[in-house]
Amino acid sequence: MNLNTPVNKLKGIGDKTTALFNKLHIYTYEDLINYFPREYMNYEAPVGVSDIKIGNIQTVTGHLSAVNGPITAGRYKIITAVLKDGLNTLEIMFFNQPYIKKMLKVGGVYLFRGKVIQKGTRLIMQSPRIFSRNDYDELMGHPVPVYSLTSGLSGKTVTKAVNSALQDIQWDDEIFPASALKELDIVSHSKAISLIHNPLNEDSIQIARRRLAFEDFFYFIMLLRKNRELAVTLKNSYPMIETADTKRFIEKLPFKLTSGQKKTWNQICEDMSGDGCMNRLVQGDVGSGKTIVAILALLMTACNGYQGALMAPTEVLATQHMETVTDLVKKYDLPLKPVLLVGSMKASEKKAVYESIKTGECNLIIGTHALIQEKVEYSKLALVVTDEQHRFGVRQREALADKGNQPHILVMSATPIPRTLAIILYGDLHLSAIHELPADRLPIKNCVVKTDYRPSAYKFISDQVAMGRQAYVICSQVEAGENDDLENVIDYCEKLKDVLPKLNISYLHGKMKPAEKNTIMQNFADGNIDVLVSTTVIEVGINVPNSTVMMVENAERFGLAQLHQLRGRVGRGKHQSYCIFISSNEDKKTMERLNILAGTNDGFKIASEDLRLRGPGEFFGVRQSGEFAFKVGDIYADSALLEETNNFVDKLLADDPKLNKVENANLKASVIRYYEKSEMLQSI
Ligand code: ADP
Ligand code: MG
């Protein structure tokens, strides 16, 4: 069997299961073995009733002393069973699972796995999984893969299918030279794949991860090298000169540009007036003032008679950029004619905008990914700016570039990465960095507190509002009913109105209609709303310098990198700003994790520490960075490996620049396969 064999050739996989696999985009043996576990479960030795720890997921064993039911309670038919161990008893409850009754015999020995809760003096386990001793023994003693499933497909089926595929497969030869693998301490591809599905222990997960992350990085770096080769040869199709308009604008601004902003702006001017096409990334932490630099570049473009486009990841942010630019145009009499293009606009409005873009009537187009839709035809697009690059993939950026005839590219990112890694990860871009925040900023004051701090927090917010400031409160849920242990925007807003009746309080969340969202955001920006209760929709880019308080409920539910981005919504003006992280989980580890935020403002350090505090099995499924969402590799956790891989590519290409040596033939073939796949994705 080879990798392209369809999954229905596997023994025991019929049409029905095949259809379910297809739903998960698994069509071939290759797809199946590349379907990695979401996480791993450890099955520890079963305990007796007297050794139960309340609140933990545990496997409990004992003799059944009674089986009762079903009794009807509301919508439920409940079966209860009792496990007895001396004087201690555990009640087991099953809901609407009538067939369970036949499986349980009084006097028999069983293993139940589930969470044990306490109600008064009763110990209860609800809807546990039931195991036979033999089945359980097989699971014990090594990490057991847990796969993401779809309704109708069980973990058992996936595990069985994966393992029979692994047995049947005829592996291709290893593509990397054995000596290189030895030096890098990396196992073969086939070994990594079999370990990731069948780890003997925690170490084997790490061994497998290392190889798979290496592959992720290797192909990505090879693609960047290719793009870089193409980029250097690109001529400047839109040579520009710096006109008096930008100089005058800078002079009239109410603030002085920081030295990072100045340096970046000079580099952009040189790029756009030089021989080659600009391909530049501006990296700067939240609040460092990237927008004004982008606007300067767009202004220079317009003054040279061309069009520029500014693409933002959300409508809220695109709309805000439009407002900012419109205000500046009025205030400073800039020769910019901006239009907004976002998905929620009416078809007739869009048509008019398309027309003005096509005729060249407008010279600045601001929008979301609507900008890259096929209907948009530009007249003379010379500059494409992507804001908050970390929210887009590399591919969307390229798609917009494809719209014009090799326009200049300027990318803005707040993804915190040290320079050594940025050079690798943005290998096809030139780098500018804005290291400092504007001089008038005061460092944000942080606190990590428990829920009993709320009354003080509300008092604090109301004092800030009395001083003319505004506040954000972030909840992780939109409305009740999703996860009732967590605060939700709608109920919280009502509660807060009761506590602070004099304040103007509103809410914002992603399920609202775009137009509604824009209105609320505008009202907040205009100062008509004192407190905005919101989900993380405000996380990216939003700039309301007058807001000075960021309060986050259930802070323990967020990744630290995300909390850092949220924190970036305050401290954007000259007023002292404050961040209040409320944790409803008081355990030591959680508080320690959140306190990292209070200790540093360095985004990279925050993201790395966050991962260090997680267990090794928790690496999967954690998406730290939207921009570099690799299958296994993580730029923070695997930063050392990323550098090693880059060095490996350097050496490889120094020795064999076109990979034409016989020993590299297989490697070359798989690199070409990767290029083709990524081009295919790009054209979707
Ligand atoms: P980000 O880098 O996060 O995109 P913005 O460009 O939105 O940050 O800038 C944040 C705020 O700082 C804006 O209100 C902007 O007008 C202001 N700002 C930008 N540059 C300076 C500066 N050199 N001095 C003072 N304020 C500045
Ligand atoms: Mg920004």
Side-chain angles (χ1 to χ4, degrees):
M1 296 292 169
N2 66 29
L3 291 166
N4 292 326
T5 312
V7 278
N8 64 10
K9 290 281 181 297
L10 280 165
K11 231 174 57 204
I13 304 287
D15 290 349
K16 219 174 111 201
T17 313
T18 303
L20 292 170
F21 273 130
N22 292 351
K23 245 184 170 173
L24 298 173
H25 305 286
I26 298 170
Y27 301 93
T28 62
Y29 277 34
E30 182 172 23
D31 299 334
L32 184 61
I33 59 169
N34 283 321
Y35 196 69
F36 299 152
R38 173 162 55 86
E39 58 181 340
Y40 297 89
M41 192 87 95
N42 281 310
Y43 291 88
E44 64 301 327
V47 297
V49 179
S50 45
D51 292 323
I52 283 174
K53 289 209 174 62
I54 291 150
N56 287 10
I57 291 180
Q58 274 176 307
T59 308
V60 182
T61 183
H63 284 90
L64 274 192
S65 65
V67 180
N68 300 313
I71 55 163
T72 305
R75 299 183 280 133
Y76 298 109
K77 287 200 165 50
I78 306 174
I79 293 171
T80 51
V82 181
L83 261 191
K84 233 189 171 107
D85 181 2
L87 285 175
N88 305 304
T89 55
L90 172 68
E91 291 174 48
I92 318 257
M93 304 175 88
F94 298 93
F95 301 88
N96 296 341
Q97 290 173 283
Y99 52 89
I100 294 275
K101 181 134 191 197
K102 283 204 205 91
M103 297 166 58
L104 303 175
K105 300 264 172 327
V106 173
V109 173
Y110 294 89
L111 289 92
F112 297 101
R113 184 173 173 79
K115 188 169 168 174
V116 177
I117 53 172
Q118 188 167 28
K119 274 200 182 149
T121 55
R122 297 158 62 202
L123 292 184
I124 300 172
M125 188 188 269
Q126 295 181 345
S127 314
R129 289 172 64 195
I130 309 174
F131 294 94
S132 74
R133 186 77 229 191
N134 278 348
D135 284 351
Y136 196 80
D137 283 348
E138 264 184 38
L139 295 173
M140 241 167 53
H142 57 90
V144 178
V146 179
Y147 296 93
S148 298
L149 302 169
T150 180
S151 155
L153 189 68
S154 72
K156 233 180 178 166
T157 308
V158 179
T159 306
K160 244 174 89 185
V162 167
N163 284 321
S164 42
L166 284 174
Q167 268 175 7
D168 281 1
I169 275 177
Q170 206 85 63
W171 290 101
D172 294 339
D173 290 339
E174 172 59 47
I175 53 172
F176 294 102
S179 58
L181 292 184
K182 194 159 168 238
E183 202 174 306
L184 286 160
D185 193 18
I186 280 173
V187 297
S188 68
H189 178 77
S190 55
K191 173 125 192 231
I193 295 285
S194 68
L195 281 181
I196 201 104
H197 292 293
N198 290 298
L200 310 170
N201 48 40
E202 293 290 340
D203 279 351
S204 25
I205 302 176
Q206 294 312 324
I207 291 170
R209 273 197 83 250
R210 186 169 168 83
R211 162 72 197 217
L212 298 168
F214 169 73
E215 287 179 19
D216 280 347
F217 293 155
F218 172 76
Y219 290 114
F220 182 75
I221 292 171
M222 290 299 284
L223 184 64
L224 290 179
R225 296 288 164 101
K226 182 178 158 221
N227 287 351
R228 187 166 71 186
E229 239 173 71
L230 293 177
V232 243
T233 58
L234 284 187
K235 280 238 153 332
N236 184 350
S237 319
Y238 308 96
M240 301 185 197
I241 50 161
E242 195 186 354
T243 64
D245 304 75
T246 43
K247 289 202 180 97
R248 211 177 318 133
F249 179 46
I250 293 173
E251 271 164 28
K252 278 201 254 165
L253 279 174
F255 49 73
K256 267 209 165 95
L257 293 183
T258 63
S259 72
Q261 285 172 317
K262 263 190 232 151
K263 200 167 141 205
T264 304
W265 169 232
N266 286 336
Q267 288 168 330
I268 293 171
C269 280
E270 270 173 35
D271 283 355
M272 295 203 299
S273 48
D275 295 334
C277 180
M278 175 166 74
N279 217 6
R280 181 167 293 280
L281 170 85
V282 179
Q283 217 191 347
D285 209 345
V286 279
S288 59
K290 297 183 289 294
T291 315
I292 197 75
V293 176
I295 292 174
L296 281 167
L298 292 161
L299 180 59
M300 174 156 160
T301 305
C303 291
N304 279 270
Y306 302 120
Q307 282 179 321
L310 172 59
M311 181 160 79
T314 62
E315 282 205 12
V316 170
L317 185 56
T319 311
Q320 183 190 286
H321 281 326
M322 182 68 186
E323 303 283 342
T324 308
V325 171
T326 311
D327 285 351
L328 292 173
V329 168
K330 257 195 240 143
K331 214 159 152 190
Y332 299 102
D333 194 22
L334 304 177
L336 282 173
K337 280 175 242 127
V339 280
L340 181 70
L341 180 61
V342 292
S344 70
M345 281 168 34
K346 288 200 206 94
S348 57
E349 288 173 308
K350 277 190 200 160
K351 224 174 127 197
V353 173
Y354 293 150
E355 194 56 30
S356 71
I357 298 175
K358 195 171 161 187
T359 57
E361 183 190 325
C362 60
N363 54 20
L364 171 53
I365 302 99
I366 300 176
T368 50
H369 49 266
L371 293 187
I372 50 178
Q373 272 159 6
E374 275 176 32
K375 289 200 191 102
V376 192
E377 273 180 60
Y378 293 86
S379 130
K380 36 197 171 168
L381 185 65
L383 170 66
V384 172
V385 182
T386 324
D387 191 21
E388 302 286 344
Q389 158 73 15
H390 60 285
R391 281 306 182 102
F392 293 104
V394 174
R395 305 218 158 84
Q396 267 163 316
R397 160 171 38 110
E398 284 170 359
L400 184 51
D402 284 346
K403 279 277 171 191
N405 183 20
Q406 291 161 7
H408 296 292
I409 303 283
L410 183 62
V411 175
M412 328 287 276
S413 174
T415 301
I417 320 177
R419 191 170 168 81
T420 45
L421 291 190
I423 289 172
I424 301 173
L425 289 165
Y426 298 105
D428 55 338
L429 299 173
H430 291 111
L431 297 184
S432 297
I434 306 180
H435 290 297
E436 67 276 81
L437 296 181
D440 60 352
R441 303 288 165 76
L442 298 165
I444 299 169
K445 295 193 170 153
N446 302 287
C447 67
V448 179
V449 289
K450 301 170 187 166
T451 49
D452 59 6
Y453 187 76
R454 276 188 199 130
S456 316
Y458 299 150
K459 166 89 178 34
F460 186 78
I461 288 176
S462 112
D463 289 348
Q464 285 285 309
V465 171
M467 289 160 68
R469 306 284 86 79
Q470 292 162 279
Y472 300 97
V473 180
I474 306 298
C475 299
S476 59
Q477 309 291 305
V478 173
E479 56 201 344
E482 295 162 64
N483 185 343
D484 288 342
D485 291 341
L486 304 174
E487 298 298 331
N488 71 76
V489 166
I490 309 248
D491 293 340
Y492 203 97
C493 186
E494 285 311 307
K495 250 189 330 197
L496 207 55
K497 281 180 182 168
D498 285 342
V499 184
L500 303 170
K502 293 209 187 92
L503 270 50
N504 218 326
I505 304 172
S506 256
Y507 65 78
L508 183 74
H509 60 71
K511 287 188 186 167
M512 286 160 73
K513 292 213 178 75
E516 215 178 332
K517 273 192 278 194
N518 293 340
T519 314
I520 297 275
M521 216 40 244
Q522 192 54 47
N523 271 327
F524 187 67
D526 291 344
N528 300 329
I529 295 170
D530 300 320
V531 183
L532 187 62
V533 182
S534 171
T535 55
T536 53
V537 284
I538 61 115
E539 174 189 332
V540 268
I542 292 306
N543 182 43
V544 181
N546 189 48
S547 38
T548 53
V549 186
M550 166 62 65
M551 174 170 173
V552 184
E553 286 284 353
N554 298 114
E556 76 280 2
R557 302 292 297 206
F558 296 96
L560 294 188
Q562 200 176 14
L563 291 172
H564 180 60
Q565 284 289 327
L566 282 169
R567 168 162 72 182
R569 296 312 114 217
V570 297
R572 299 174 81 85
K574 55 182 183 300
H575 309 290
Q576 176 64 53
S577 290
Y578 307 87
C579 240
I580 306 169
F581 299 112
I582 306 260
S583 171
S584 54
N585 179 347
E586 297 172 14
D587 78 36
K588 211 174 132 229
K589 204 173 147 192
T590 308
M591 295 306 252
E592 187 190 348
R593 194 177 137 248
L594 289 174
N595 268 311
I596 293 172
L597 281 173
T600 175
N601 247 323
D602 177 337
F604 183 77
K605 214 156 146 197
I606 291 169
S608 317
E609 284 285 294
D610 196 6
L611 280 165
R612 194 179 57 76
L613 288 179
R614 290 172 204 260
E618 292 170 85
F619 278 139
F620 289 96
V622 181
R623 281 279 164 256
Q624 281 281 351
S625 162
E627 190 175 356
F628 303 108
F630 295 106
K631 198 156 180 227
V632 173
D634 182 291
I635 59 166
Y636 298 105
D638 306 313
S639 57
L641 178 62
L642 180 57
E643 293 196 38
E644 289 173 62
T645 312
N646 190 55
N647 295 340
F648 169 72
V649 172
D650 280 344
K651 260 201 253 168
L652 179 73
L653 295 181
D655 176 55
D656 186 9
K658 298 268 169 236
L659 297 184
N660 284 339
K661 290 194 175 169
V662 183
E663 65 263 35
N664 289 330
N666 285 336
L667 189 57
K668 181 168 185 168
S670 66
V671 169
I672 289 174
R673 201 152 83 117
Y674 180 82
Y675 286 167
E676 284 168 358
K677 243 197 308 192
S678 71
E679 261 157 37
M680 235 162 62
L681 281 173
Q682 224 176 85
S683 61
I684 291 171

